[in-house]
Amino acid sequence: MKLKKILALVFSVSLLITSLCACSPSEKNGGNDDMKTIAIIAKGESHAFWQSVKQGAEDAAKKHGGYKITFRGPASEISQELPAQKEMVQTALINNPSGLIIATIGEGFTDMLEQAYDKKIPVVQFDSGVWEADINALNEKGKNPIVSTVSTSNETAAGLAACNLFNAIKTDIAASDGNYVVGVIQHDQTDTGVDRAKGFVEEFASLADNDLMAKGKYRFEKIVKDGDSNNAYVDALNALVEKGADAIFMTNEGVVKQVSDAIAANPNKYDDIKFCGFDAGTKQIEWMKSQSKAELIGSVAQDSYRIGYDAVEQCIYAIEGGKVAENVPVLGKWYDKENIDEMIESKLVYEG
């Protein structure tokens, strides 16, 4: 009898061990081991813009199922952070993700992107993407892994800003002495900065030249500054004041922040100037809602959530051998005092 009891006990323990061992690896690790990973290396991580991008990316991964994302970015978008971002990309490639989504803050990613090509890892560039010099080098070697570009249509979005600013100031131009100065502060020499300045100038000129009351009564003054230096955009603002600027377009949030601080410190100096911005952020929102005589007419916001969502979706299409769109333009949205709260609620305008 004792032998039978011992055998029965051994059999029961054996069944228990077999049952435990039968669990799949994914069950033991929260169900994630069988999921494919998409590595996202952005130009930042903590800023509200990138947090909105991340949310869109996560939602796209959830929608398609079977995918998870990792999301990393440097502490800031300045050139000194370039080595840190390169290390992030290299680490991601070592982990052999199913796909890579990337926006770089400088040049020098050619070797790493060649690795992605050799490993057959599809790459989607998003936001400002990969710098042109790197793309040209990859194309020359026939090893370009980039399958899709997802970004704000900067020229179109800046054209929207031009349209709204022109409508706000066209009577001022018509009533001027024929020398109304429209200033542009361009935040850098990257494609993003160049395209936004170009899109604004071309659309504004088209509208003004087709308006009999405004044609021939205005001129442009543009200042290009690198945001790495302290108060670069305040210097640009004051240079435009010296040139007699009556209205100023600012091509990104960094410009708006510095200009806003300059106006707060010396409001009377800029009272007669009308401003128009790009991007979003708390400073921009507060300025727009304020009673400042140096009025922020409005701004164009990037749909950061959509950028993240569409980038992941295109990457999944590439991984699964589906139809991938070579270019996915994300349209900007105009906001001003009238619709700003609605835009914040819908997460098209972010605070931070």
Side-chain angles (χ1 to χ4, degrees), residues 60 76 120 124 202 225 232 254 268 287 298 315 325 346:
S76 68
K120 296 182 170 52
V124 173
E202 289 183 352
K225 285 286 186 178
N268 296 331
W287 181 7
C315 196
S346 64

Side-chain angles (χ1 to χ4, degrees), residues 159-169 207 276 297-298 300 334-336:
L160 179 61
C163 179
N164 282 277
L165 181 60
F166 176 73
N167 287 334
I169 65 175
L207 292 166
C276 176
I297 299 294
V300 173
W334 173 260
Y335 68 103
D336 53 29

